[in-house]
Amino acid sequence: MSTTTTQQPPEPATRAELSRGSLPLYFSPVLLTASAAVVAGVLLAFSSFGVMLWALLTAVAYLVISVTASVRVEGARKAKDRFVTAIVYGCFLLAMAPLVSVLWTVAQNGMARFDIYFLSVSMNGVLPSMDAGGVYHAIVGTLAITGMATVISVPVGVLTAVFLVEYAQGRLKKAITFFVDVMTGIPSIVAGLFVVALWMMLLGPGHLNGASGALALAVLMIPVVVRSSEEMLRLVPMELREASYALGVPKWRTITKVVLPTSASGLTTGIVLAIARVIGETAPLVLTAGSSAVSINWNLFEGQMMNLPVFIYSQVRMGGAVNYERAWAAALTLILVVMLLFFLARMIGRLFAPKTR
Amino acid sequence: MTTTDAPQAAPPPTGKRRIGDVVFAGLARSSGLLILLILAGVAAFLIVQAWPSLAANTQNFLTTQEWEANVREDPAFGIAALAFGTVLAATIALVMATPVAIGIALFIVYYAPRRLASLLGYMVDLLAAIPSVVYGLWGIGFLAPQLVPVFESISRYLGWIPLFAGPPSPSGRTLLTASVALAVMILPIITAMSRDVFQQVPQGHREAALAMGATRWEMIRLAVLPFGKSGIVGGAMLGMGRALGETMAVAMILSPSLSISWNVLQSGNQTIAGHIALQYPEATGYGVSALIAAGLVLFAITLIVNMAARYVVARGNKEA
C-alpha cells in the first residue's frame, strides 16, 4: 500500500489543487462597491446612516462574502490570503480615519474664529468670556521660544553628529549613540520638570519665562537633530573626504568646506522637521513659560510667555463656549504652521539636494 | 585641553597638528559630552529637587494613592494610583495600536502600489506631526462624544469583564478614550520601526517562499514576520515609552481624580504625566517637589522601557 505512494506523489490532490479556478480580477473592486452600496441602502432605509457604522458594516460584508466565495472557488489557502489582504488594507484605512477626522474637525471648528483679526490681536484686556481677542501674543511666543530652542539645539546637535560620524570611536561613540536614543524617549513633561528643578537650584522657585521654555524644548530637540544629522553625514561619500585630504586640506576644513556643504540640504530638512516636532509641545511650556500670559511679550528673559499650544490648553481649561472656539481656531493655526514646516522640509529636501546623478 | 586620538578611519595626512583641527575636534567632542551631561543632569536635578518632599512625606511614596502635597508640613502623597493609571492606559493603547501598526507597515511595504508607497508612508507620519494638544482637543470635542454609545454597548454586552463594568461615564472622558487617543499617537512610531525591518527582509527569503508556491500571506508569515520580530517588539516598546510619557492628550481628556480602578469606562483614573500638568500651576508648599518626585518615577519607567526597546532592536540587527 505504502509502496505506491512513496514512489509517486499523490497526484489526484495536486491536480485538484492546480485545476482550482480563480476569481476574476474585477471580483474585489466590484464586490466592495456592491457591498458599500447595499449597506448604504439598507442603512438609509432604516434611517440610521452613520459614516463609522457604514464603513464597519461594509468591511464585514466584504470580508464574509469574499472569503466564502474564495473558499468555494479557489480553496482555503487563497481564501486566507484574501482575508489577510483585506485586513491589511483595512488597517491602513483605519489609521487614516483619525488623521482625516482630526484635520476635518479642526478645520470645521476652527474656521468660526480664524481670521485676520484673530491672528493680529492679543488677549490683553480681554475677559475670557468676551467675544474678542486673538493669538498674536501666542504666535510671538511660539516664534521666540522655538527660535531660541533652535539656536541652542542646532549647533549642539550638528556638532555631536559630526563628532559621532567623523571623530568618535569605541566606547564613547557607543555610549553617546545609545544615550541619544534614550534621550529621544524622554517624556516631554520630564524635560519641563528638569528645567524647573534646575532653576529652583540656581535661582529659587517661580521663574517662568520664555528662555526656560526654550531650554526645555532644546532638551527634546537636540536628540532629534543629532539623529537626523548623523544619518545625513553618513550619506556623504568617503571619496569626497579622501579627495580633500589628498589635496592636503586639514580635517576640520574638510568637514566645514566639503562634508557639511554637501549634506546641507539634508541637515536643513532634518532641522525643520525637528522644529515641527517641538513647536507643538505643550507640557514642558506649561511648566516653564507659564500658562497665564495675555499680552505681547518679546522678552525671553522676563515674564511669562504665551505660545500657541499652551494657549489652546489654557482656553480649554477655562471651558466656556467662546474659549472652545478660540482653542479650535488656535489649533487650526498651529496645524497650519506644522503643515507648512513639513511642506517646507520636503521642498528643501527636493530643491537643494546635491545633484549627484 | 582636549586632544583627539591620532589614528582615524581615514586619517588626514598631516604631519603636524593644526590649531584649527584641535579646536574643531574639541568642540565636536564637547557637544557629544554635553549630551551625556544633560541626561545625567536630568536625573540628578530631579533627584535633588524631589528629595525634600520625599523626606518629609508621612506616607509610603510607592504605595499611597492620595496626593496631599500642597501643604507646608507633613505632606502625604504617593504614586500608586498614578503609576497604575499610567501603565494601564499605555498598555491598552499598545494592545490597540500594535496589530494595526503591523498591518499598516505590511500594507506600505508589500501591498500598496510601489509608486504610492512613499506618499502613503508620509501620510502615516503626518499622524505623528499633529501636536498632542490638538489630539487632546479632538479627544474632548469629537472622540469622547462619539465613543459614548460605543461604551454603552460595550458595557451592555461585555460588562461581565471587570474592565468594562458599567455604568459608563456619560461624558465619555474616560481612560479608554484617552487610550484610544494614545493609540493613534503611537501608531506612527510602531509603524516606522516595523516598516524599517520589513524593508530589510532579504529578497532571497521572500522569493524563495514565493517560488515554492506560497501565497502572499504565506510568504509574509514564513519569511517576513520571523525576520521582523525584533523590530516589531522594539517598535512596540518604543511606542509604549511614548504612551507612558504622553501628557497633554491625557491631561485634557481625563478629569482630575485619583483612584485605582480597573474600570476603564468610568472616569476615575489619572496618569503621572497628566497629573503633573494639571497640578503644577496650583502647586504650593511641598507640591512642586512632590510633582518632581512623580516625574522622576515617570523618567525611570520610560528610561527602562526605552533602554529595553533599544536593546531588543540592536540585538535583532546583530542577528540579521
Side-chain angles (χ1 to χ4, degrees):
Chain A
M1 225 170 87
S2 58
T3 47
T4 49
T5 43
T6 43
Q7 292 189 341
Q8 274 180 333
E11 210 170 309
T14 318
R15 183 163 292 165
E17 197 76 336
L18 284 176
S19 61
R20 284 282 185 149
S22 65
L23 291 168
L25 266 180
Y26 58 79
F27 175 75
S28 297
V30 168
L31 176 62
L32 189 60
T33 328
S35 38
V38 171
V39 169
V42 171
L43 283 179
L44 284 176
F46 284 97
S47 66
S48 56
F49 188 84
V51 176
M52 271 165 43
L53 191 64
W54 174 63
L56 188 72
L57 289 182
T58 306
V60 170
Y62 173 81
L63 263 185
V64 170
I65 299 174
S66 77
V67 168
T68 327
S70 180
V71 165
R72 305 205 71 153
V73 182
E74 299 177 322
R77 285 177 55 217
K78 286 260 178 84
K80 203 186 249 177
D81 188 46
R82 271 183 194 275
F83 178 75
V84 174
T85 306
I87 295 285
V88 163
Y89 273 76
C91 280
F92 180 75
L93 293 178
L94 187 65
M96 285 302 100
L99 180 66
V100 173
S101 164
V102 167
L103 295 180
W104 177 253
T105 17
V106 168
Q108 205 183 20
N109 293 315
M111 282 321 258
R113 277 199 104 76
F114 186 77
D115 49 23
I116 299 291
Y117 171 78
F118 183 74
L119 293 178
S120 58
V121 299
S122 74
M123 293 290 287
N124 202 1
V126 179
L127 293 175
S129 57
M130 267 163 68
D131 184 17
V135 287
Y136 183 68
H137 61 310
I139 295 177
V140 166
T142 290
L143 285 182
I145 294 175
T146 324
M148 182 170 167
T150 312
V151 168
I152 300 173
S153 8
V154 167
V156 176
V158 174
L159 275 173
T160 304
V162 167
F163 179 64
L164 286 177
V165 176
E166 309 284 338
Y167 290 100
Q169 45 192 348
R171 272 252 206 70
L172 184 59
K173 179 176 180 169
K174 263 197 191 141
I176 294 180
T177 313
F178 181 75
F179 282 111
V180 165
D181 278 342
V182 169
M183 209 170 155
T184 332
I186 290 187
S188 60
I189 194 145
V190 171
L193 282 176
F194 159 63
V195 175
V196 168
L198 183 69
W199 263 208
M200 273 170 66
M201 296 251 302
L202 300 179
L203 308 168
H207 280 270
L208 294 169
N209 57 35
S212 14
L215 206 59
L217 289 192
V219 171
L220 297 169
M221 196 171 163
I222 288 173
V224 185
V225 175
V226 174
R227 281 325 337 243
S228 66
S229 310
E230 203 190 336
E231 238 163 72
M232 289 306 142
L233 293 178
R234 284 195 200 290
L235 288 180
V236 176
M238 217 22 146
E239 287 84 350
L240 286 183
R241 296 187 183 97
E242 283 161 0
S244 172
Y245 293 152
L247 293 171
V249 180
K251 183 159 186 166
W252 75 280
R253 298 278 290 173
T254 306
I255 293 170
T256 49
K257 292 285 172 184
V258 177
V259 177
L260 289 179
T262 312
S263 51
S265 82
L267 293 178
T268 322
T269 306
I271 290 165
V272 174
L273 286 179
I275 296 175
R277 234 333 113 68
V278 298
I279 207 167
E281 281 298 348
T282 321
L285 295 180
V286 170
L287 268 53
T288 51
S291 54
S292 55
V294 290
S295 56
I296 301 160
N297 175 13
W298 275 105
N299 189 347
L300 277 161
F301 298 95
E302 191 61 60
Q304 297 200 10
M305 205 173 212
M306 187 46 80
N307 51 81
L308 280 170
V310 176
F311 181 84
I312 299 172
Y313 175 62
S314 57
Q315 290 295 329
V316 167
R317 294 288 319 265
M318 289 173 193
V322 185
N323 303 113
Y324 267 97
E325 279 183 15
R326 281 197 206 104
W328 283 112
L332 180 59
T333 319
L334 183 59
I335 281 199
L336 286 177
V337 171
V338 173
M339 294 285 154
L340 192 73
L341 286 170
F342 250 66
F343 185 70
L344 195 70
R346 279 212 121 187
M347 283 290 105
I348 293 170
R350 199 167 283 174
L351 290 181
F352 301 105
K355 289 164 189 67
T356 44
R357 55 192 80 89
Chain B
M1 272 270 91
T2 332
T3 50
T4 50
D5 306 312
Q8 300 293 340
T14 50
K16 63 178 182 342
R17 187 160 283 281
R18 288 182 177 80
I19 184 79
D21 262 337
V22 174
V23 170
F24 192 77
L27 270 179
R29 173 179 284 253
S30 36
S31 300
L33 292 175
L34 181 65
I35 287 185
L36 298 185
L37 203 69
I38 292 176
L39 205 59
V42 172
F45 287 119
L46 290 184
I47 292 172
V48 168
Q49 287 302 322
W51 189 249
S53 67
L54 287 178
N57 196 359
T58 55
Q59 302 290 323
N60 185 333
F61 179 63
L62 294 178
T63 55
T64 308
Q65 298 186 28
E66 61 191 317
W67 195 271
E68 297 295 335
N70 292 333
V71 287
R72 297 255 161 246
E73 49 196 29
D74 293 337
F77 59 94
I79 200 79
L82 295 173
F84 175 83
T86 309
V87 173
L88 185 61
T91 310
I92 296 175
L94 194 66
V95 168
M96 286 192 282
T98 309
V100 180
I102 296 172
I104 300 170
L106 286 177
F107 175 79
I108 292 172
V109 179
Y110 294 115
Y111 285 82
R114 272 294 147 79
R115 244 183 254 165
L116 286 180
S118 81
L119 180 72
L120 296 177
Y122 178 69
M123 282 170 74
V124 176
D125 288 343
L126 274 185
L127 273 178
I130 295 174
S132 71
V133 68
V134 176
Y135 277 116
L137 190 57
W138 174 73
I140 305 173
F142 178 83
L143 189 63
Q146 291 284 322
L147 283 179
V148 170
V150 179
F151 287 173
E152 274 165 6
S153 28
I154 290 179
S155 78
R156 192 172 309 141
Y157 299 112
L158 297 173
W160 46 274
I161 303 174
L163 274 179
F164 303 127
S169 146
S171 67
R173 290 165 72 164
T174 68
L175 192 77
L176 193 55
T177 312
S179 299
V180 172
L182 287 179
V184 174
M185 299 170 80
I186 63 175
L187 260 186
I189 185 165
I190 308 178
T191 306
M193 296 297 286
S194 312
R195 255 176 80 187
D196 278 353
V197 286
F198 289 168
Q199 262 154 356
Q200 286 165 16
V201 176
Q203 200 166 6
H205 291 197
R206 292 190 284 119
E207 283 174 355
L210 290 174
M212 298 300 284
T215 60
R216 187 153 51 174
W217 161 241
E218 286 163 346
M219 179 272 282
I220 287 171
R221 193 165 50 89
L222 293 170
V224 175
L225 292 183
F227 184 90
K229 211 168 45 190
S230 68
I232 296 172
V233 174
M237 290 172 78
L238 284 183
M240 177 95 178
R242 175 94 200 274
L244 287 168
E246 187 47 60
T247 312
M248 269 308 139
V250 178
M252 287 164 83
I253 291 172
L254 293 182
S255 45
S257 59
L258 284 169
S259 58
I260 291 186
S261 154
W262 281 98
N263 192 335
V264 296
L265 297 181
Q266 290 173 333
S267 46
N269 284 306
Q270 183 58 269
T271 72
I272 298 179
H275 182 74
I276 297 172
L278 290 171
Q279 293 288 315
Y280 184 82
E282 288 128 38
T284 55
Y286 280 110
V288 175
S289 172
L291 289 176
I292 290 177
L296 190 63
V297 173
L298 180 63
F299 180 58
I301 297 177
T302 49
L303 206 64
I304 292 167
V305 170
N306 279 313
M307 281 162 83
R310 296 292 171 190
Y311 176 72
V312 169
V313 174
R315 209 186 46 181
N317 282 347
K318 214 171 280 171
E319 277 170 13

